């Protein structure tokens, strides 16, 4: 998604630089949260058919009111189809917010850049980029149909590669329990089976059975991949 968003931003910048008719359909707002949130709130509230969005960790952290999530829930109750991507690891977000939407099939999670994207009814999009050393934060409102279509297509590809939020939470809860958590810590530390088993006070055979169970739960093809997935889930840091 990070490459896709950067490509989309480049397309939008080119459209703005040409100073043709597209420039009237691309508005450049201040990059602060207030400007973006105001634009997004209006888009979600007015949406009639579909809302696609990429949420950043800022919108889901425990000390912030999850206004966007509540608006998405209201939109769903109005019959609007919602598809949302939430950043991994899920442990870094507000547990109450995550659980509130975990049963909804439209919510998925995966590693994401610290950027926001909201597309309403395939007609308009709001894209927010964070502050970087080389450029300030900015919010772009786009109503050029061709550009919105590109953003929608890129979102669809990335959303399809995400993991349903409910599945992630189920795995997350199982693997935070002992002895799974300690086994994962040993795997991430690169311990050999004998060392890991000795740390847990169990037999090597039992340790290996726990490893096999963990890999199955994580859908991991290797121990290394299991360690990466554990970090992504926030089980280990």
């Amino acid at each position: 998604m990070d490459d896709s968003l950067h490509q989309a931003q480049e397309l939008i910048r080119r459209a703005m630089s040409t100073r043709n008719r597209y420039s009237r359909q691309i508005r450049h707002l201040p990059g602060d949260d207030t400007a973006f949130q105001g634009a997004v709130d209006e888009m979600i509230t007015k949406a009639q058919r579909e809302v696609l969005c990429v949420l950043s960790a800022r919108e889901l952290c425990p000390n912030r009111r999850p206004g966007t999530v509540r608006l998405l829930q209201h939109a769903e109750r109005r019959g609007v189809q919602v598809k949302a991507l939430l950043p991994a690891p899920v442990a870094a977000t507000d547990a109450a917010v995550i659980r509130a939407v975990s049963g909804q099939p439209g919510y998925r999670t995966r590693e994401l850049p610290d950027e926001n994207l909201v597309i309403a009814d395939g007609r308009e999009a709001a894209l927010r980029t964070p502050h970087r050393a080389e450029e300030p934060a900015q919010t772009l409102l786009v109503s050029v149909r061709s550009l919105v279509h590109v953003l929608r297509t890129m979102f669809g590809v990335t959303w399809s590669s995400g993991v349903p939020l409910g599945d992630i939470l189920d795995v997350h809860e199982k693997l935070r329990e002992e002895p799974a958590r300690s086994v994962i810590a040993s795997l991430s530390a690169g311990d050999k089976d004998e060392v890991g088993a000795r740390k847990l006070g169990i037999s090597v055979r039992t340790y290996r059975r726990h490893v096999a169970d963990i890999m199955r739960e994580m859908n991991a093809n290797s121990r290394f991949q299991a360690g990466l997935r554990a970090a992504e889930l926030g089980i280990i840091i």
Side-chain angles (χ1 to χ4, degrees):
M1 185 66 181
D2 47 352
D3 289 341
S4 296
L5 279 180
H6 290 321
Q7 291 171 13
Q9 291 172 39
E10 184 59 31
L11 287 173
I12 293 170
R13 289 193 186 97
R14 290 178 183 177
M16 294 178 70
S17 66
T18 57
R19 300 184 183 279
N20 59 14
R21 60 188 178 90
Y22 288 155
S23 60
R24 297 182 180 180
Q25 296 171 280
I26 302 176
R27 295 170 55 198
H28 190 174
L29 301 182
D32 58 52
D33 287 350
T34 302
F36 177 80
Q37 199 60 52
V40 165
D41 289 356
E42 184 177 357
M43 287 173 60
I44 297 175
T45 301
K46 291 182 176 180
Q48 298 179 356
R49 303 187 310 278
E50 176 190 74
V51 174
L52 311 176
C53 61
V54 176
L55 301 177
S56 70
R58 289 188 305 275
E59 294 175 287
L60 299 166
C61 62
N63 61 350
R64 180 186 174 107
R65 286 185 63 191
T68 303
V69 174
R70 280 199 293 270
L71 285 175
L72 291 174
Q73 291 176 300
H74 288 316
E76 287 182 300
R77 287 194 285 271
R78 291 190 285 108
V80 176
Q81 182 184 38
V82 171
K83 289 185 177 180
L85 274 170
L86 284 67
V90 294
T93 62
D94 189 334
V97 175
I98 297 302
R99 292 184 187 282
V101 299
S102 63
Q104 303 300 319
Y107 291 82
R108 298 190 174 192
T109 182
R110 58 157 290 171
E111 290 186 43
L112 296 166
D114 186 25
E115 295 172 331
N116 299 83
L117 172 67
V118 175
I119 305 172
D121 292 335
R123 295 183 293 105
E124 57 182 345
L127 176 66
R128 183 186 188 280
T129 61
H131 174 76
R132 295 190 179 92
E134 66 275 13
E135 60 182 20
Q138 60 178 337
T139 293
L140 297 173
L141 301 182
V142 183
S143 57
V144 182
R145 289 297 182 92
S146 58
L147 294 180
V148 174
H149 177 73
V150 170
L151 289 170
R152 190 176 184 277
T153 300
M154 291 176 172
F155 174 90
V157 171
T158 306
W159 183 86
S160 296
S161 68
V163 179
L165 191 59
D167 294 353
I168 284 288
L169 288 182
D170 288 344
V171 172
H172 186 272
E173 291 181 357
K174 290 178 182 177
L175 298 184
R176 287 189 68 85
E177 298 175 356
E178 294 294 350
R181 183 180 176 88
S182 294
V183 173
I184 290 171
S186 289
L187 288 175
S188 299
D191 292 340
K192 293 184 178 180
D193 290 352
E194 292 76 12
V195 174
R198 187 164 58 249
K199 284 182 177 180
L200 273 66
I202 59 179
S203 69
V204 174
R205 181 178 180 180
T206 300
Y207 179 85
R208 288 172 177 166
R209 187 175 69 248
H210 285 311
V211 171
D213 291 341
I214 289 168
M215 290 177 63
R216 183 174 60 253
E217 287 287 349
M218 289 186 172
N219 195 27
N221 297 320
S222 67
R223 296 183 177 203
F224 177 74
Q225 188 180 34
L228 292 178
R229 293 286 291 131
E232 180 180 307
L233 288 170
I235 297 171
I236 59 170
I237 299 176

